[in-house]
Amino acid sequence: MDQIRNFCIIAHIDHGKSTLADRILEITGSVTEREMKDKERVLDTLELEQERGITIKLQSARMNYKNHVLNLIDTPGHVDFSYEVSRSLAACEGCLLLVDATQGIQAQTLSVFYAAMEQDLKIIPVINKIDLPSAQVEETKDEIVHTLGFSRDEILCCSGKTGAGVTEILDQIIERIPSPSKKNVIESNRNNEVFRALVFDSFFHEHKGAIALVRIFSGKIQKNDKVKFLGTDTEVTPIEIGYITPSFFASSELRNGEVGYIATGLKDLKKIHTGDTVTSYSYADTNKSLATQNSTEESKLKLPGYQPAKSMVFASLFPVDADEFLTFSESLEKLAMNDAALNYQKITSPALGSGFLCGYLGLLHMEITQERLEREFNLNLITTVPSVEYKIKLKNINYDENIENVIQKSVQMLKGLGTTDDFDDNGYYILKSVTKFPDIAYIDQVLEPYSKLEIITPEEYIGPIMQLCSEKRAEYKSTEYLSTTGSKKYVQVKYEVPSNEIITDFFDRLKSVSQGYASMDYNFFEFRVSDIVKVDILVNHEASEPLSFLSHRTSADARGRRLVEKLKDLIPRQQFPIPIQAAIGMKIVARETIPQYRKDVLAGMSGGHVERKKKLLQAQKKGKERLKTFGSVEVPKEAFLAALRN
């Protein structure tokens, strides 16, 4: 165990984590030259990861270097996937904190730095991309020293692209990062010989079934040992155990301190939870009676894990062709097998038929999920306007009563809009879909989620950024000057902002007003009472559910107006005029009309009597009225996509 080093690479998005990971794999001989040529980034296995140049799923790889075993866990950098980062940190003793020499410290650099500090990891600061002409190495060192508190001697420099400095990084990993034996992570461990491991990721393999990626904290496991997953009370005899190198490499055993995989053969991935503890069956069974009688005893059986991923954004998905629902359902289930952060539940819409309400970590997670469904499973889908989770306090409910009575009365009041699972521990109705927004007569208060927002930007863009935050109802908290990189002086601005205001176009607008220099990081922290209203979009006087959205009253009119203006240009013209309206309750707040096609019914008449012309025009008018009454208006997919950017 003294020869093992478990580490991860953390950084802001696009600072070169995956490229550096590839160089490390190459220098340690863990991948062949052909494997390096076949892929631009070895650990980015998804097609979308290769195309977009981002890491979506964490990956692990075991390497041998100078008589040491190095277990690398590559992590995503986008703010939507910070949950993946937290899981990798829990399996390591140290990390490489990567900083781009051309960009310096960014918002998520600070976020992942503090997350690593909380886990008490040994942090090695590394400046990457030193080969670029625009690299400002010395200025970036000054920034790291001033902002993060490292000494200049602790900072390493490298180029993930050329490989310069990577050998020194490997040597420093061995030198600085403690072995598992030197870091007593599990204080409650009473017997170091008992096998217990933390599940830090899971995915589904076509031949091996549900696979758990584990970090072993005590004891060892052999291939034929029966194990138990405590969180789901699942017992299994693994069909295979081993390491990921990054290919599967079967082994006869896994020992304390190592990182590896357990192939369970299970067909249901839901039985393998990330953050769960897996232990030897005999040990779990022996202590089961004690655990049943004593909650303290039960807690000692489990390793410190982490909270399940919390969905920040909700949107409904429907197949364009209703006949594809079964295929869509099976495809979503398969995708969710390899995405622990994706959750979904079946819903039915009068307008769109059967679909699923899905919860995502953020807007990028939502976009990637839909793109993977359409690309990998050949589906054509409609997505409703994304929203966040609200909480609603209902009128005429005595919240001082027994909580079970409160929930039962609330369910009866909402008449099908909610079930007992849709209420929190205080009896507040949890709203995830705009279609389930109750009648205003039942609403006492609406509570809106707020996030802590941190923005790092050059000083000259402070004005436009503050103006943007003001438009988004953000509450200013503080400004802190960080350091100077080259000719730019960077500052960190902190806000508290409604989560709904930053899930759509905020990031794009932030990049626009700062000419691409500003970066952001955000985390949910509380619910606040807010004046939230539902805005319905009416097409030819009929409500179009997928286009309806929730908004603060102060911005509802403007958002509704922008949307109907967009829809006027996107919905095809018909033989009758189509009114498009935005309504709050019974009040119309915006309207546009798509003009009808006009057929010249008099074109064939070279002359003719005036009464004949009137008769033809009257017949045309009656025909249009009949179309208007019975005709349906098809809203194209582009219109729904435009609503996402509203």
Side-chain angles (χ1 to χ4, degrees):
M1 187 161 51
D2 290 338
Q3 307 303 110
I4 296 174
R5 300 293 183 270
N6 298 316
F7 72 100
C8 61
I9 306 176
I10 56 175
H12 187 81
I13 189 171
D14 287 336
H15 279 208
K17 296 178 300 300
S18 296
T19 305
L20 176 59
D22 285 356
R23 294 291 79 71
I24 290 175
L25 290 169
E26 184 179 29
I27 290 173
T28 57
S30 302
V31 292
T32 65
E33 186 176 345
R34 180 176 180 179
E35 287 174 323
M36 294 300 301
K37 289 181 178 179
D38 287 344
K39 290 183 180 179
E40 292 184 17
R41 290 169 298 279
V42 174
L43 291 182
D44 286 348
T45 55
L46 296 177
E47 182 181 349
L48 279 175
E49 290 180 316
Q50 293 285 331
E51 281 188 16
R52 291 171 176 254
I54 60 174
T55 301
I56 298 169
K57 286 286 292 178
L58 65 82
Q59 301 288 339
S60 66
R62 176 186 170 109
M63 301 164 285
N64 293 303
Y65 182 74
K66 291 186 176 180
N67 296 320
H68 284 74
V69 173
L70 308 183
N71 290 309
L72 162 65
I73 300 177
D74 186 32
T75 62
H78 193 279
V79 64
D80 277 12
F81 302 106
S82 57
Y83 172 68
E84 301 269 328
V85 177
S86 71
R87 285 158 44 187
S88 67
L89 293 176
C92 299
E93 280 76 47
C95 65
L96 303 179
L97 177 64
L98 219 57
V99 181
D100 189 328
T102 66
Q103 297 183 27
I105 291 175
Q106 300 290 295
Q108 287 158 248
T109 311
L110 293 175
S111 175
V112 294
F113 169 74
Y114 292 129
M117 291 283 287
E118 289 176 4
Q119 293 278 358
D120 195 26
L121 300 188
K122 177 62 181 179
I123 304 172
I124 301 177
V126 180
I127 298 175
N128 192 24
K129 303 186 182 181
I130 60 173
D131 58 303
L132 297 180
S134 56
Q136 298 175 312
V137 178
E138 294 305 314
E139 292 88 343
T140 306
K141 282 186 178 181
D142 292 338
E143 190 175 3
I144 292 173
V145 170
H146 174 77
T147 306
L148 304 181
F150 293 99
S151 67
R152 294 179 72 88
D153 294 339
E154 293 179 274
I155 303 171
L156 304 179
C157 297
C158 77
S159 167
K161 183 178 180 180
T162 67
V166 177
T167 300
E168 183 184 358
I169 290 175
L170 288 168
D171 292 336
Q172 289 300 309
I173 288 172
I174 293 174
E175 181 70 24
R176 296 198 215 174
I177 293 178
S179 68
S181 63
K182 293 180 180 178
K183 185 175 180 184
N184 187 13
V185 182
I186 310 303
E187 296 178 358
S188 62
N189 187 12
R190 294 164 296 166
N191 188 343
N192 286 329
E193 298 304 315
V194 173
F195 167 69
R196 287 194 294 172
L198 174 70
V199 180
F200 66 86
D201 196 17
S202 61
F203 57 91
F204 191 82
H205 188 275
E206 184 178 0
H207 304 297
K208 304 178 191 296
I211 292 181
L213 294 183
V214 297
R215 157 65 199 276
I216 301 171
F217 283 101
S218 65
K220 67 178 181 179
I221 177 178
Q222 295 180 324
K223 179 181 177 181
N224 296 320
D225 289 348
K226 190 174 183 180
V227 298
K228 185 171 185 176
F229 293 86
L230 298 181
T232 58
D233 200 29
T234 300
E235 302 161 7
V236 65
T237 300
I239 62 172
E240 183 178 288
I241 61 173
Y243 318 108
I244 295 180
T245 64
S247 302
F248 287 106
F249 183 84
S251 175
S252 59
E253 66 178 18
L254 295 173
R255 291 180 171 272
N256 187 5
E258 292 186 318
V259 172
Y261 70 88
I262 299 175
T264 65
L266 296 172
K267 300 303 180 184
D268 186 2
L269 189 64
K270 295 177 181 178
K271 294 183 178 180
I272 311 297
H273 287 176
T274 56
D276 196 2
T277 298
V278 55
T279 185
S280 61
Y281 173 75
S282 58
Y283 177 70
D285 193 52
T286 300
N287 288 272
K288 186 174 182 179
S289 58
L290 290 174
T292 304
Q293 300 168 23
N294 188 332
S295 59
T296 303
E297 194 70 25
E298 180 179 13
S299 66
K300 289 181 179 180
L301 290 173
K302 297 182 180 180
L303 300 172
Y306 27 79
Q307 295 297 321
K310 179 175 176 57
S311 298
M312 293 291 294
V313 177
F314 296 87
S316 298
L317 285 173
F318 297 90
V320 172
D321 184 352
D323 293 337
E324 290 186 341
F325 176 75
L326 183 59
T327 303
F328 171 43
S329 176
E330 294 172 349
S331 302
L332 188 60
E333 183 178 0
K334 290 179 182 178
L335 187 64
M337 282 183 174
N338 293 315
D339 188 349
L342 174 65
N343 61 76
Y344 59 95
Q345 63 184 69
K346 185 178 177 181
I347 58 172
T348 303
S349 163
L352 297 173
S354 296
F356 290 95
L357 172 64
C358 300
Y360 310 94
L361 296 175
L363 212 62
L364 177 64
H365 186 206
M366 182 188 78
E367 182 182 339
I368 286 171
T369 299
Q370 181 175 355
E371 193 167 343
R372 288 187 66 188
L373 284 168
E374 292 185 331
R375 182 181 299 190
E376 296 175 21
F377 300 100
N378 196 29
L379 294 169
N380 193 13
L381 303 172
I382 291 175
T383 304
T384 60
V385 179
S387 183
V388 295
E389 178 181 284
Y390 295 90
K391 291 187 177 182
I392 297 178
K393 183 179 180 182
L394 300 173
K395 286 183 179 178
N396 304 320
I397 294 290
N398 181 9
Y399 283 88
D400 293 329
E401 280 190 53
N402 178 283
I403 189 65
E404 294 181 1
N405 293 337
V406 169
I407 293 175
Q408 289 296 336
K409 290 180 180 178
S410 300
V411 170
Q412 293 172 8
M413 176 186 291
L414 294 181
K415 297 177 181 177
L417 284 181
T419 66
T420 54
D421 292 333
D422 295 321
F423 291 83
D424 67 8
D425 294 338
N426 297 315
Y428 284 25
Y429 177 50
I430 302 172
L431 181 73
K432 298 177 181 177
S433 171
V434 64
T435 60
K436 292 192 173 186
F437 193 74
D439 189 285
I440 194 69
Y442 298 132
I443 297 175
D444 183 14
Q445 292 178 335
V446 178
L447 283 74
E448 181 177 23
Y450 268 68
S451 294
K452 289 185 177 181
L453 172 67
E454 297 179 359
I455 298 173
I456 293 181
T457 177
E459 185 181 29
E460 59 262 39
Y461 303 114
I462 280 287
I465 288 174
M466 286 189 164
Q467 176 63 33
L468 171 61
C469 291
S470 177
E471 293 175 14
K472 297 295 186 179
R473 299 188 288 126
E475 180 182 331
Y476 170 79
K477 303 307 290 185
S478 66
T479 298
E480 179 183 352
Y481 284 82
L482 298 178
S483 62
T484 301
T485 301
S487 60
K488 294 187 180 297
K489 182 177 289 185
Y490 279 81
V491 295
Q492 181 185 44
V493 192
K494 295 184 178 181
Y495 283 89
E496 292 176 359
V497 60
S499 302
N500 194 49
E501 298 288 353
I502 55 177
I503 65 167
T504 49
D505 64 345
F506 185 86
F507 182 74
D508 292 337
R509 292 185 61 187
L510 177 67
K511 288 295 184 182
S512 177
V513 301
S514 67
Q515 298 184 15
Y517 283 103
S519 61
M520 60 174 276
D521 187 42
Y522 63 91
N523 289 287
F524 164 79
F525 78 105
E526 70 176 7
F527 282 88
R528 295 180 183 176
V529 175
S530 190
D531 189 7
I532 302 297
V533 296
K534 179 184 178 184
V535 181
D536 288 307
I537 301 300
L538 311 177
V539 179
N540 198 26
H541 306 292
E542 294 183 4
S544 179
E545 283 187 27
L547 296 175
S548 300
F549 60 90
L550 299 178
S551 173
H552 193 270
R553 192 179 295 275
T554 57
S555 57
D557 290 15
R559 286 188 62 188
R561 192 174 301 110
R562 288 198 303 270
L563 183 53
V564 297
E565 288 172 356
K566 285 183 179 181
L567 292 174
K568 179 185 177 182
D569 298 328
L570 291 166
I571 296 178
R573 294 169 66 182
Q574 306 287 331
Q575 292 184 5
F576 54 91
I578 305 172
I580 305 174
Q581 301 162 304
I584 301 175
M586 300 298 293
K587 179 183 177 183
I588 303 297
V589 297
R591 172 175 173 143
E592 292 287 341
T593 302
I594 301 173
Q596 77 274 28
Y597 283 122
R598 181 181 178 89
K599 181 179 179 181
D600 188 357
V601 295
L602 306 181
M605 298 182 65
S606 57
H609 194 275
V610 65
E611 293 297 330
R612 173 65 175 162
K613 291 181 179 180
K614 286 183 178 181
K615 185 176 180 181
L616 288 172
L617 291 172
Q618 287 294 331
Q620 182 188 49
K621 183 178 180 181
K622 288 181 180 179
K624 287 182 178 179
E625 288 295 332
R626 189 163 55 250
L627 281 171
K628 186 175 180 180
T629 303
F630 298 104
S632 61
V633 179
E634 180 180 352
V635 181
K637 186 178 180 181
E638 289 76 12
F640 293 109
L641 296 177
L644 293 178
R645 303 179 181 91
N646 178 44

